[in-house]
Amino acid sequence: QAPAPSSDTGDIPDGQGNDFTVPAGAVRFPWNYNNADKVVPITPQSKNGGWAMSPDQQCMPNSWCPYACESGYYSAQWDPTALLYNGAGSMNGGLYADGNGKLTKPDPSKPFCSPGMFNAAIKNTLGQSVSACQTVYPGNEAMIIPSVASAGGSVDLNVVPHTYWLGTSSQFYVNLAGSTGDQCIWGNADKPVGNWAPFIFGGGQGADGITYISVQYNPLYTSVGFKTTDAYNVKIQCESGQCNFPTGGECKCEKGVCSVDNGCTVGLPD
């Protein structure tokens, strides 16, 4: 199936023939699958209807409605007046729906999805797939944007540039082996998925031009009795360039212990 035409000019699609859920009074998701804008629908048959919102949330008039992008790409649209990390506007990502439900693109000069740094990826040496679940921010911070590394395969991480909203970085909750995008959900304490996943990865470019990649065990995972020794091993490796490692020369979490207490970070100069 050929991708739908790209709409980088600021034009917002009209649904592209999708059959996604649109609850009464809600605003329809503008894209279909496999669109040229690299937008990815999230749980389109739930109430959110494709928007990067929790399944029981809806894009309503007079509100901001976030959307997700393909692995390696980030949403380049957000409320330009949102200037507080946790205050007013911190959920205002994506497109704005006015009182009539008409969607507008806050910065028509930018695409819907922009390429990230493309300098970090998950290389999966396990015999099962693993999903990394990015949080929506600005947005409700739910870990619902999936990047799935197949068994023996790899997937790009969305490492955002320093020009991203307020200089914030990307955060990923990384599930156990055997996981798919279906486990990129706000979970419960009885299952180690989503916000209860064993690992948290971080990635972003600092104002100094250095890309920072981090790994740690998820405190929520251990707080309810799940064992870090039950998880696979994770190691940050430098494929090229001169990476800056912590004291000790490595950054890994293996057999339940990280090489630096509470996790570690590696820097990759531009």
Side-chain angles (χ1 to χ4, degrees), residues 4-270:
S6 179
S7 40
D8 284 353
T9 58
D11 294 335
I12 298 173
D14 62 357
Q16 298 178 341
N18 74 49
D19 61 352
F20 303 163
T21 299
V22 187
V27 179
R28 184 185 190 190
F29 189 68
W31 293 274
N32 209 335
Y33 293 107
N34 301 314
N35 58 80
D37 291 318
K38 300 186 182 300
V39 174
V40 175
I42 301 295
T43 53
Q45 304 308 325
S46 297
K47 287 184 178 180
N48 63 309
W51 296 101
M53 305 167 78
S54 296
D56 60 348
Q57 291 184 308
Q58 301 163 181
C59 173
M60 299 297 291
N62 296 309
S63 68
W64 286 87
C65 303
Y67 57 86
C69 297
E70 291 180 9
S71 298
Y73 289 78
Y74 65 92
S75 170
Q77 301 294 325
W78 56 78
D79 180 357
T81 68
L83 302 175
L84 297 173
Y85 295 107
N86 297 308
S90 64
M91 295 182 67
N92 297 354
L95 309 179
Y96 183 73
D98 68 13
N100 297 316
K102 178 179 172 59
L103 294 165
T104 56
K105 189 179 186 185
D107 190 345
S109 70
K110 294 181 180 178
F112 293 102
C113 295
S114 289
M117 299 300 294
F118 274 97
N119 58 1
I122 292 176
K123 184 177 180 180
N124 181 6
T125 60
L126 304 171
Q128 296 176 290
S129 62
V130 169
S131 58
C133 310
Q134 184 182 348
T135 57
V136 183
Y137 190 61
N140 66 0
E141 296 191 65
M143 55 302 299
I144 55 177
I145 304 176
S147 292
V148 181
S150 59
S154 62
V155 66
D156 289 305
L157 279 182
N158 172 23
V159 179
V160 292
H162 68 86
T163 53
Y164 189 64
W165 182 66
L166 303 185
T168 54
S169 59
S170 302
Q171 181 166 287
F172 306 84
Y173 287 79
V174 187
N175 286 311
L176 290 167
S179 56
T180 68
D182 291 341
Q183 282 75 52
C184 287
I185 56 174
W186 197 281
N188 299 303
D190 60 338
K191 293 181 181 179
V193 300
N195 54 313
W196 304 94
F199 295 100
I200 298 175
F201 293 178
Q205 183 191 41
D208 55 9
I210 297 175
T211 294
Y212 295 93
I213 306 295
S214 63
V215 59
Q216 67 178 87
Y217 286 115
N218 181 4
L220 277 181
Y221 177 83
T222 55
S223 70
V224 292
F226 296 122
K227 297 179 180 179
T228 54
T229 50
D230 291 340
Y232 46 79
N233 298 330
V234 172
K235 185 176 184 178
I236 298 178
Q237 293 182 310
C238 195
E239 297 286 312
S240 62
Q242 294 293 322
C243 293
N244 299 321
F245 284 91
T247 301
E250 59 183 2
C251 177
K252 63 182 181 180
C253 293
E254 296 182 350
K255 299 178 180 179
V257 179
C258 293
S259 53
V260 177
D261 289 344
N262 301 316
C264 50
T265 301
V266 174
L268 175 62
D270 192 7

